[in-house]
Amino acid sequence: MRMRKVKWAVDYLNDANCLIEDPSALKGTWKERFDQKKIHVEIGCGKGNYSLNMAKLYPQEAFIAVEKNESAAGIAAKKFDDASQQENLVLIQKDAANISEWFAAGEVDVIHLNFSDPWPKKRYAKRRLSSSQFLDQYAQILSDEGQIQMKTDNSSLFEYSLIEFQNAGYRMIEISVDYRRETHDEDVMTEYEEKFVSLGQPIYRCVWTRNNKE
């Protein structure tokens, strides 16, 4: 479902302190900006709860939240700015279709894909964040031991993604078809995740690494 425009949130982006307006200008210098911290990138952060709470949980690591929807990004930006102590958290309000232009080779340690739009129609498959178009770019920017951590409630997207990751040369290191059947305090819940868990729906999760790519 497409989010309705939230005027105050769109307007807030004009003055948001956490916003990185030109991420490509920081290509190759992100580690310096964050004092050599481990860098996480959440693509499609929505209203920002996951990246914000992870940044609080792991203050020794850095989190870059990416969201193309202006309204959702504005809401996230307000949350990030209100949590002014979170110097390890920034926001990029752009489409991640050209994410390899923002980061240098090996600059990102973890990519988070949380409840991404499944784009169920086949003609839109290339828009899925786990399509080969994106996976090839992730491989360019991930560190040697870098990971992609994916969570979804959509079984069809999960099945599609497993094949795409494998075909792109990634190696699976974790998989669960009911991730929240056990407690995972190390990984906070997104808003969507809380909703699905409350309804008793399974959460699918997989973790992949590129350290075996040629």
Side-chain angles (χ1 to χ4, degrees):
M1 182 180 296
R2 186 179 299 275
M3 182 176 179
R4 293 182 179 179
K5 182 175 181 179
V6 181
K7 188 177 186 305
W8 73 260
V10 174
D11 292 343
Y12 186 83
L13 289 171
N14 295 325
D15 300 305
N17 293 324
C18 63
L19 187 67
I20 303 295
E21 294 187 7
D22 183 8
S24 61
L26 291 173
K27 184 174 183 177
T29 66
W30 289 100
K31 288 288 187 180
E32 294 177 23
R33 189 186 193 285
F34 288 115
D35 297 324
Q36 305 305 313
K37 289 181 172 68
K38 182 177 181 177
I39 291 179
H40 297 250
V41 176
E42 182 188 8
I43 304 176
C45 73
K47 297 177 183 177
N49 283 10
Y50 182 80
S51 282
L52 175 59
N53 291 324
M54 288 291 281
K56 291 178 178 179
L57 187 62
Y58 298 99
Q60 75 280 12
E61 302 181 8
F63 291 81
I64 301 169
V66 181
E67 175 56 51
K68 67 179 180 180
N69 181 280
E70 286 186 313
S71 294
I75 293 171
K78 182 67 165 57
K79 292 178 183 178
F80 294 177
D81 285 350
D82 286 347
S84 56
Q85 74 276 15
Q86 297 307 135
E87 297 180 356
N88 61 332
L89 175 64
V90 296
L91 174 71
I92 297 173
Q93 191 276 302
K94 290 184 181 295
D95 190 323
N98 297 308
I99 192 172
S100 59
E101 296 179 2
W102 306 346
F103 301 98
E107 200 164 28
V108 175
D109 297 294
V110 184
I111 292 174
H112 299 270
L113 305 178
N114 292 320
F115 302 91
S116 307
D117 190 330
W119 293 103
K121 294 183 179 180
K122 287 186 177 180
R123 66 177 180 272
Y124 295 136
K126 67 180 181 181
R127 299 184 186 180
R128 298 169 188 162
L129 294 179
S130 53
S131 70
S132 60
Q133 175 182 337
F134 285 95
L135 294 181
D136 290 345
Q137 293 192 73
Y138 302 156
Q140 295 177 43
I141 65 178
L142 280 171
S143 59
D144 287 344
E145 300 295 327
Q147 294 183 358
I148 301 176
Q149 300 179 7
M150 176 183 178
K151 289 189 292 185
T152 182
D153 66 302
N154 189 295
S155 60
S156 295
L157 177 63
F158 192 67
E159 292 168 0
Y160 164 88
S161 300
L162 295 180
I163 294 172
E164 289 294 293
F165 276 111
Q166 183 176 0
N167 288 343
Y170 287 82
R171 179 171 62 88
M172 183 194 295
I173 55 178
E174 289 183 33
I175 187 171
S176 176
V177 294
D178 193 2
Y179 180 57
R180 292 297 177 181
R181 68 188 166 203
E182 299 175 352
T183 301
H184 290 280
D185 292 333
E186 78 285 358
D187 180 50
V188 302
M189 288 194 190
T190 72
E191 290 177 282
Y192 281 117
E193 194 168 4
E194 290 176 351
K195 173 184 176 182
F196 296 137
V197 169
S198 70
L199 294 173
Q201 294 180 224
I203 304 300
Y204 305 96
R205 183 177 185 266
C206 55
V207 181
W208 300 79
T209 183
R210 59 165 295 276
N211 66 358
N212 68 330
K213 287 180 71 65
E214 295 291 320

